[in-house]
Structures are given as C-alpha cells and as structure tokens.
Amino acid sequence: MSNLPITQKEYDQSVLVADFIAKTRSIAQSNEDISDICFMPKVKGYEITFNNGTTAINISLNFKSKILKGIKIKKLVNGATKGSFYSKSQEDNTCIINKIFDKH
C-alpha cells in the first residue's frame, strides 16, 4: 500500500464503489424489468442510471468527501430524491442495494 499514490481512505472508498457497482450490475442482469443501464464515472464519484419499467432511476455515488470515510449514495426516481444513504462497508452496500431495488 505504501507504494501506491493513494491514501488508505481513497483505497477503501474505491473498494466500496467497486463492490456497489458489481452488486448493482448483478441485480440488473438478473432482473428483466431493468433496461438501459448505464454506469458513468464522475469527478467526485459514480453515477448509475437505468429504467425500471417506465420509471427512470438515477443512483449517484459520492466518495470525494474530506470528512467521510465511506461513500454517500443517493437514489433519484424521475428526478426526485427517494433515498439518501451512507455506506462504510460491503455489508452496508448490500443493505442499501436491497432498499434501492426494493428487495427485503
């Protein structure tokens, strides 16, 4: 880790983002209602957009906070905020994804 040009915090956040994206992709591939999925890297995070039937859903991941050690996740449905979450672990990611995709 000491040879990498990133901090431990940046590395941990990258692992969380990669885990979130992988889990989201897995659910999207197994769900026939989800279409037009797009994964877009952004300067301060990542954005995932898709259609769930006739509903446009946008998930934004923000990991460039100087204070927070995890990632902030926000769900927008047809442009309106429907959920705001904070993840510090891969287990948090699983719980948040279940809430976003309404899997209980």
Side-chain angles (χ1 to χ4, degrees):
M1 187 70 199
S2 63
N3 295 334
L4 294 176
I6 62 173
T7 65
Q8 183 67 43
K9 176 183 163 188
E10 291 169 330
Y11 175 80
D12 293 341
Q13 288 172 330
S14 297
V15 169
L16 285 177
V17 169
D19 176 68
F20 191 92
I21 291 168
K23 289 176 179 174
T24 301
R25 184 171 300 206
S26 175
I27 288 175
Q29 289 174 343
S30 65
N31 189 334
E32 296 175 0
D33 293 335
I34 295 176
S35 62
D36 301 325
I37 191 159
C38 185
F39 297 87
M40 298 170 285
K42 299 290 183 180
V43 173
K44 293 186 177 187
Y46 222 88
E47 188 171 288
I48 304 167
T49 59
F50 60 92
N51 291 320
N52 192 358
T54 59
T55 307
I57 298 177
N58 179 315
I59 302 169
S60 90
L61 309 173
N62 183 340
F63 58 90
K64 291 291 184 182
S65 172
K66 294 183 184 229
I67 300 169
L68 302 175
K69 292 186 179 182
I71 57 174
K72 289 170 59 176
I73 301 164
K74 191 160 127 181
K75 175 184 177 182
L76 292 104
V77 177
N78 293 328
T81 301
K82 294 295 181 181
S84 187
F85 312 96
Y86 178 68
S87 175
K88 290 197 268 183
S89 69
Q90 292 179 5
E91 292 79 20
D92 290 345
N93 279 352
T94 301
C95 293
I96 292 167
I97 288 172
N98 287 337
K99 289 177 184 176
I100 288 174
F101 288 96
D102 297 322
K103 295 179 179 267
H104 301 287

